[in-house]
């Protein structure tokens, strides 16, 4: 059975840091490239950080380069994925999700974790 659980969000002041965690439970995740996605208020879902199945290759959308770091730890029946977010800005406010990259029509979704950057 496939399940995704994100955690680690919260309210943080501009310039602060948060570390998001994702437990992707299922035997297939360790073979997949994955990503952190976010959806801000009134905005479409966007990919912010991508990581290859081995963890050796990472890419970032321009707005988070130099501030966010994605990592993963592959296990037999789950993948633990992380997003270290530094120098947070109000425009980073969003619900953050982890999932496969690219997304597939039948992918399961977690509940996401809310990140709010505000003074």
């Amino acid at each position: 059975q496939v399940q995704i659980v994100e955690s680690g969000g919260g309210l943080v002041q501009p310039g602060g840091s948060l570390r998001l965690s994702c437990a992707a439970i299922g035997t297939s995740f360790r073979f997949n490239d994955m990503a952190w996605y976010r959806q801000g208020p009134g905005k479409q879902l966007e990919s912010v950080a991508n990581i290859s199945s081995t963890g050796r290759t990472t890419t970032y959308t321009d707005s988070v380069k130099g501030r966010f770091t994605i990592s993963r730890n592959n296990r037999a029946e789950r993948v633990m994925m992380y997003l270290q977010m530094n120098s947070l800005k109000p425009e980073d406010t969003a619900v953050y999700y982890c999932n496969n990259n690219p997304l597939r029509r039948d992918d399961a979704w977690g509940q996401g974790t809310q990140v709010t950057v505000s003074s």
Side-chain angles (χ1 to χ4, degrees):
Q1 186 175 356
V2 172
Q3 186 180 10
I4 296 177
V5 181
E6 299 97 346
S7 62
L11 173 63
V12 63
Q13 291 187 343
S17 297
L18 283 174
R19 186 182 191 230
L20 306 185
S21 298
C22 163
I25 302 166
T27 56
S28 65
F29 283 112
R30 69 186 187 272
F31 303 113
N32 299 341
D33 295 352
M34 297 188 70
W36 280 97
Y37 301 86
R38 69 184 180 187
Q39 187 164 24
K43 297 181 181 179
Q44 290 188 326
L45 188 72
E46 66 169 335
S47 169
V48 297
N50 308 302
I51 189 165
S52 63
S53 59
T54 61
R56 293 193 186 104
T57 302
T58 58
T59 59
Y60 302 89
T61 194
D62 286 346
S63 62
V64 308
K65 280 181 183 176
R67 300 188 298 120
F68 289 13
T69 303
I70 188 172
S71 60
R72 67 188 287 168
N73 182 355
N74 290 343
R75 303 176 187 174
E77 296 186 352
R78 70 173 60 193
V79 170
M80 293 302 300
M81 197 162 70
Y82 305 96
L83 187 67
Q84 178 66 44
M85 305 188 297
N86 299 326
S87 302
L88 282 161
K89 303 176 180 181
E91 51 264 43
D92 295 318
T93 294
V95 180
Y96 285 72
Y97 304 89
C98 64
N99 216 318
N100 293 312
N101 178 33
L103 292 170
R104 300 153 202 182
R105 185 177 301 178
D106 59 349
D107 275 337
W109 286 89
Q111 80 288 349
T113 187
Q114 175 71 49
V115 172
T116 303
V117 185
S118 175
S119 54

